[in-house]
């Protein structure tokens, strides 16, 4: 029986050529004897303090300008005929035709027609078109706009207790059409959110 080389083992584990050892493995004779746990911990702390060095020096606190800005990522923005309401959707893989059909039906149900469809729009577009209310569909779009990572259920719980705003714009967060296609039981919840958005818009 022949012994496998180190390269044979890595190739068998499909770790080549991505993974490469930077130093040869120690021989069996070179492996040190076991040490007590407290000794190992002390040596580990000493070793880390020698190896780890700060890559970037932190700036003094008094020179740091802190600004509350939401994380802005590209998303699709639909703006209604009168530019009163915008629908921000994250890009989700799936059947585009089915997603568009469901989205169109959802907007028709609340009597909203969208005349502007902007791909990869930035949040600045909201101000440019004087949008008064934003309906955010999908977790990624909510994260991009609000700068907080929450589930849609968490967002819905928050907005049911208190209104959500982004730069003084009222926001309603709901499920993405792609999610609703796969989870039809949530359509009733999305309908509640759309009705709430319509009610807020009428009160503005």
């Amino acid at each position: 029986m022949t012994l496998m080389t180190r390269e044979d083992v890595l190739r068998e584990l499909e770790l080549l050529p991505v993974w490469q050892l930077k130093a040869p493995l120690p021989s069996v004779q070179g492996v040190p004897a076991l040490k007590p746990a407290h000794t190992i911990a002390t040596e580990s702390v000493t070793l880390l303090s020698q190896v780890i060095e700060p890559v970037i020096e932190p700036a003094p606190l008094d020179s740091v300008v802190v600004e509350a800005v939401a994380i802005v990522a590209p998303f699709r923005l639909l703006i209604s005929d009168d530019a009163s309401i915008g629908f921000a959707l994250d890009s989700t893989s799936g059947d585009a035709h089915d997603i568009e059909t469901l989205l169109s039906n959802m907007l028709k149900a609340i009597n909203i027609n969208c005349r502007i469809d902007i791909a990869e729009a930035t949040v600045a577009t909201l101000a440019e078109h004087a949008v008064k209310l934003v309906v955010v569909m999908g977790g990624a779009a909510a994260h991009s706009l609000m700068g907080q990572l929450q589930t849609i259920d968490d967002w819905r719980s928050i907005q049911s207790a208190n209104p959500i705003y982004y730069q003084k714009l009222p926001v309603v967060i709901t499920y993405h059409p792609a999610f609703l296609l796969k989870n039809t039981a949530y359509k009733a919840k999305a309908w509640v959110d759309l009705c709430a958005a319509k009610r807020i818009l009428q009160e503005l």
Side-chain angles (χ1 to χ4, degrees):
M1 178 178 178
T2 58
L3 295 176
M4 298 180 68
T5 65
R6 180 172 67 250
E7 288 74 13
D8 292 334
V9 174
L10 293 174
R11 189 172 290 104
E12 187 69 22
L13 295 175
E14 298 182 357
L15 296 180
L16 286 179
V18 178
W19 294 89
Q20 296 288 343
L21 291 176
K22 294 184 178 180
L25 292 173
S27 62
V28 176
Q29 293 81 4
V31 177
L34 294 177
K35 298 180 180 181
H38 68 278
T39 305
I40 296 175
T42 303
E43 292 179 354
S44 299
V45 172
T46 304
L47 180 61
L48 287 175
S49 64
Q50 295 173 350
V51 174
I52 299 178
E53 298 178 356
V55 178
I56 301 175
E57 289 291 336
L61 291 179
D62 56 358
S63 67
V64 177
V65 178
V66 179
E67 185 178 358
V69 179
I71 302 173
V72 179
F75 55 76
R76 178 184 175 190
L77 184 66
L78 300 174
I79 301 178
S80 63
D81 288 343
D82 58 355
S84 60
I85 183 170
F87 295 84
L89 297 86
D90 56 76
S91 55
T92 302
S93 59
D95 191 324
H97 180 266
D98 290 344
I99 292 174
E100 291 296 326
T101 300
L102 177 57
L103 177 60
S104 177
N105 291 338
M106 293 170 71
L107 299 185
K108 287 179 181 178
I110 57 174
N111 196 26
I112 294 291
N113 293 315
C114 292
R115 61 183 176 87
I116 303 177
D117 187 349
I118 304 172
E120 298 185 353
T122 62
V123 180
T125 312
L126 297 173
E128 178 184 344
H129 292 278
V131 173
K132 299 177 182 178
L133 170 68
V134 181
V135 175
V136 182
M137 296 179 162
H143 182 205
S144 297
L145 191 68
M146 306 304 296
Q148 298 182 35
L149 187 58
Q150 304 265 15
T151 66
I152 297 299
D153 290 331
D154 289 339
W155 281 121
R156 294 186 73 253
S157 178
I158 293 171
Q159 69 191 13
S160 65
N162 297 292
I164 299 177
Y165 292 91
Y166 172 73
Q167 296 186 356
K168 299 182 180 181
L169 287 178
V171 174
V172 174
I173 300 175
T174 190
Y175 305 97
H176 195 282
F179 174 85
L180 297 175
L181 287 172
K182 299 178 181 178
N183 303 271
T184 56
Y186 286 81
K187 287 184 177 180
K189 294 182 179 181
W191 174 245
V192 171
D193 298 334
L194 292 178
C195 290
K198 187 72 172 181
R199 185 168 57 253
I200 293 173
L201 192 61
Q202 292 172 345
E203 294 174 354
L204 292 176

